[in-house]
Amino acid sequence: MYLYILGLVVPWFAYRWYKNSRRVPNKEDKYVYITGCDSGFGNLLARHLDKLGFNVIACCYTEKGEDELKENASDRLTTFHLDVTDSTSVSETAALIKTLVGQKGLWAVVNNAGVALPSGPTDWLTIDDYKDMIAVNLCGVIDVTLSVLPLIKKARGRVVNVASVFGRVTPFGGPYCVSKYGVESFNDSLRLNMAPFGIKVACIEPGFFKTNVTDVVGMQNNLRKLWDRLPQDVKDDYGPAFLNDSIEMLTQRFRMLTDSNLMKVVICMEHAVSAVHPRTRYSAGWDAKVSTASLTIYLLEAILSHLALSCALLLSTLAVIRWYIRDSYKVDGFSQKHVFITGCDSGFGNLLARQLDRKGFHVMAACLTEKGATDLATAASPRLKTLMLNVTDSATIRRAVEFVSKEVGERGLWGLVNNAGRSVPIGPTDWMQLEDFTKVLDVNLIGVIEVTLQFLPLLKKAHGRVVNTASILGRLSLTGGGYCLSKWGVEAFSDSLRRDMQHFGIKVSIIEPGFFKTGVTRLDLIEADQKRLWTRLPQDVKDSYGDTYLDDYVKAQEFSMGILCSPDISKVTRCMEHALTARFPRTRYGAGWDAKFFWIPLSYLPSFVSDFVINALLPLPKDKRHV
């Protein structure tokens, strides 16, 4: 048995080595655009690629960064000032690059610029902390990529996005993980959308390295600053020793984990830029790789041992029985508990509000429109209260908190259900502009974060629940636009919130619905918006897709939605109800047959498998047919 496996593994590794070793020719004709080159990975990569013969366009945030980089590079290397949060700066840089590269196009863009502060427990942060970091780490990546995408199409080049190992796991609170989950999602949707045009998209996922992002002194000062601005009641929740204990633990962990050899990351970046066959993802650093390697070894040993499989089966059976019994326990006193739900005009929120009202909960249902509020109040008991809420408006959120605070009194808020959301604009990535992404992110991600942060003090009083509506598109990026990015962000925010709030008795659950017939999946709205996007496209982009592409895309979308969309939205609201009423709510709820048996399993498979499945559902652009 071992020899058979060895006979398969050795040729596979030999083939992989050969494939990875091939490099693109004519480096001197290729231009590479790198952001965040003042120091760290970006600075080292710029100098490394310059030595290899590439024409490097290195963008720095400071004049000092530009001057120092020029001193350590050849005359081929060009530097520009760039602030990735300023769309004017991004577009001006793109115009300069267009003049520089001419008809050759741009071979690669490396989105490296990023920040890591402020970071800390979720209830130490404000919505502005999240907005500021997302503006750099996520919206900056999107804006820079869209600004040079036409030039990369010309060269059939590369997009290399620097995410993080924390774009896959969320070990601490704050916006860093949220932004990096968003980069992972944008990377996946971009890869799918751009593959027909010969553009390769790679994601770099570094572990802990000694850069400005992981500067221990900066992290310590950040924690002190966040602590100093906290209200006294929040400090009392944590205790007077918590800050010093956190700083001491952070210092020890960073000294143990951080790697000073930045070349491990730079070599991955260089491979993504220069290899004929770049990988989809690069894990850089021993800490990023070790967990995956350990899991692989464990699985191989289990497969090779019948005894291990038998034991695993027995333990799994016992675990399922225990889980079923534990899952059935319910909390009591529904009539004494208050639940606040957003997005109750229709769909999941509307049905959940009526469902909980019938069970005796005091439901406070937030609606965007007066009609939605009036219709819901008519269909429910006098216990149910409605109020107007726009989750993108901080003032209406504050008014909602005041209203709920008066209703709940000293009992506090038992449940918060973040359900409000939107889907459009949605479609191929290069049909979008930055504002198309932010329209969706403002509702689906920033809205969820701000509402949660504002209601946390009331939830702490009741040792309550937070239920965040994500999606199976928080695991797989099936299309371009802000929807998938926002739902990946909700997953990251929920994970960090759950870990930070468990000490205060607050439980956090994520609902991951498949496709259901709601306002979010209304084809007439989605198709009308896609026609708007198509109409404003430059003619050369339309030509690259072909005259019939929009009609073909709409037909494929209608066919897929017709098969996948379930009208029984109670499958989702039952999950939400369980998260609010169960004594031991689950961390995640997959809602719908397609989520449980297709999309979620697919999310655990290698990227090439999910890419193949998703591409099979969509039409080919004209340029792909001509390759």
Side-chain angles (χ1 to χ4, degrees), residues 333-341 353 356-365 381-385 404 407-408 411 413-415:
F334 290 175
S335 61
Q336 303 299 311
K337 290 178 167 55
H338 293 76
V339 177
F340 180 72
I341 311 168
L356 294 178
D357 179 54
R358 288 194 295 269
K359 287 192 172 291
F361 283 93
H362 293 272
V363 176
M364 291 158 288
S381 78
R383 271 193 317 275
L384 184 143
K385 304 289 176 62
V404 172
E407 288 289 320
V408 303
R411 286 197 185 101
L413 181 64
W414 173 254

Side-chain angles (χ1 to χ4, degrees), residues 342-343 345-349 418-427 440 443-444 469-473 479 482-484 486-487 513-527 529-530 557 561 565-566 569 572 576:
T342 68
D345 298 77
S346 60
F348 304 142
N418 284 304
N419 169 70
R422 63 178 292 172
S423 59
V424 294
I426 199 166
V440 182
V443 178
N444 295 4
T469 306
S471 167
I472 54 92
L473 299 184
T479 186
Y483 189 79
C484 296
S486 67
K487 294 305 183 181
F515 286 88
F516 288 87
K517 288 185 178 178
T518 66
V520 169
T521 56
R522 273 185 58 182
L523 282 173
D524 57 334
L525 298 179
I526 293 172
E527 290 169 9
D529 192 71
Q530 285 168 348
Q557 190 171 249
M561 291 286 208
C565 277
S566 170
I569 62 174
V572 179
M576 293 173 165

Side-chain angles (χ1 to χ4, degrees), residues 36-89:
C37 292
D38 297 77
S39 61
F41 302 138
N43 185 282
L44 191 55
L45 176 67
R47 290 186 279 124
H48 184 61
L49 293 180
D50 179 55
K51 288 177 184 175
L52 292 177
F54 285 96
N55 296 292
V56 176
I57 305 165
C59 287
C60 301
Y61 187 63
T62 64
E63 286 186 14
K64 181 173 181 287
E66 286 188 68
D67 293 340
E68 289 179 354
L69 184 55
K70 285 176 184 175
E71 289 175 6
N72 292 286
S74 74
D75 294 337
R76 277 191 316 275
L77 185 141
T78 306
T79 62
F80 291 133
H81 167 74
L82 175 66
D83 178 356
V84 297
T85 67
D86 182 353
S87 288
T88 302
S89 177

Side-chain angles (χ1 to χ4, degrees), residues 548-568:
T548 64
Y549 185 82
L550 176 62
D551 292 335
D552 294 340
Y553 190 93
V554 167
K555 287 175 185 175
Q557 190 171 249
E558 287 176 352
F559 177 74
S560 300
M561 291 286 208
I563 293 173
L564 294 170
C565 277
S566 170
D568 184 8

Side-chain angles (χ1 to χ4, degrees), residues 315-352:
L315 289 173
S316 298
T317 304
L318 293 173
V320 167
I321 294 170
R322 178 182 178 276
W323 173 84
Y324 178 79
I325 295 170
R326 192 170 185 266
D327 205 48
S328 64
Y329 293 147
K330 293 285 191 284
V331 296
D332 51 16
F334 290 175
S335 61
Q336 303 299 311
K337 290 178 167 55
H338 293 76
V339 177
F340 180 72
I341 311 168
T342 68
C344 293
D345 298 77
S346 60
F348 304 142
N350 186 282
L351 181 57
L352 178 66

Side-chain angles (χ1 to χ4, degrees), residues 431-446:
W431 295 16
M432 304 284 167
Q433 296 173 3
L434 180 61
E435 54 265 30
D436 296 318
F437 286 89
T438 55
K439 280 178 187 175
V440 182
L441 288 169
D442 285 346
V443 178
N444 295 4
L445 180 56
I446 301 298

Side-chain angles (χ1 to χ4, degrees), residues 188-383:
D188 284 351
S189 58
L190 184 70
R191 186 183 69 250
L192 286 164
N193 293 156
M194 293 297 103
F197 301 103
I199 295 175
K200 293 180 170 64
V201 180
C203 193
I204 313 296
E205 299 172 336
F208 275 99
F209 286 86
K210 286 185 180 177
T211 66
N212 288 341
V213 169
T214 57
D215 177 57
V216 175
V217 175
M219 290 285 184
Q220 292 171 345
N221 292 336
N222 158 72
L223 286 176
R224 290 190 184 98
K225 181 180 176 182
L226 294 177
W227 178 264
D228 289 341
R229 76 181 188 190
L230 285 178
Q232 190 58 47
D233 60 333
V234 179
K235 290 182 180 179
D236 293 341
D237 287 343
Y238 282 89
F242 185 83
L243 176 63
N244 289 333
D245 291 346
S246 297
I247 289 174
E248 185 179 344
M249 183 178 293
L250 179 145
T251 305
Q252 290 175 354
R253 297 284 168 83
F254 270 50
R255 282 174 181 164
M256 286 171 57
L257 292 172
T258 48
D259 190 335
S260 59
N261 185 5
L262 305 190
M263 280 304 296
K264 292 178 182 177
V265 179
V266 171
I267 287 168
C268 292
M269 292 171 159
E270 182 260 312
H271 189 273
V273 168
S274 65
V276 174
H277 303 287
R279 302 173 210 158
T280 301
R281 282 178 168 81
Y282 294 80
S283 296
W286 67 266
D287 53 334
K289 289 174 176 151
V290 70
S291 58
T292 305
S294 300
L295 180 61
T296 305
I297 292 167
Y298 173 80
L299 289 174
L300 283 172
E301 289 176 347
I303 289 167
L304 295 173
S305 171
H306 294 294
L307 178 61
L309 287 174
S310 299
C311 291
L313 184 61
L314 178 60
L315 289 173
S316 298
T317 304
L318 293 173
V320 167
I321 294 170
R322 178 182 178 276
W323 173 84
Y324 178 79
I325 295 170
R326 192 170 185 266
D327 205 48
S328 64
Y329 293 147
K330 293 285 191 284
V331 296
D332 51 16
F334 290 175
S335 61
Q336 303 299 311
K337 290 178 167 55
H338 293 76
V339 177
F340 180 72
I341 311 168
T342 68
C344 293
D345 298 77
S346 60
F348 304 142
N350 186 282
L351 181 57
L352 178 66
R354 290 184 282 117
Q355 202 169 299
L356 294 178
D357 179 54
R358 288 194 295 269
K359 287 192 172 291
F361 283 93
H362 293 272
V363 176
M364 291 158 288
C367 299
L368 182 62
T369 65
E370 289 186 7
K371 183 179 184 302
T374 304
D375 291 347
L376 179 56
T378 304
S381 78
R383 271 193 317 275

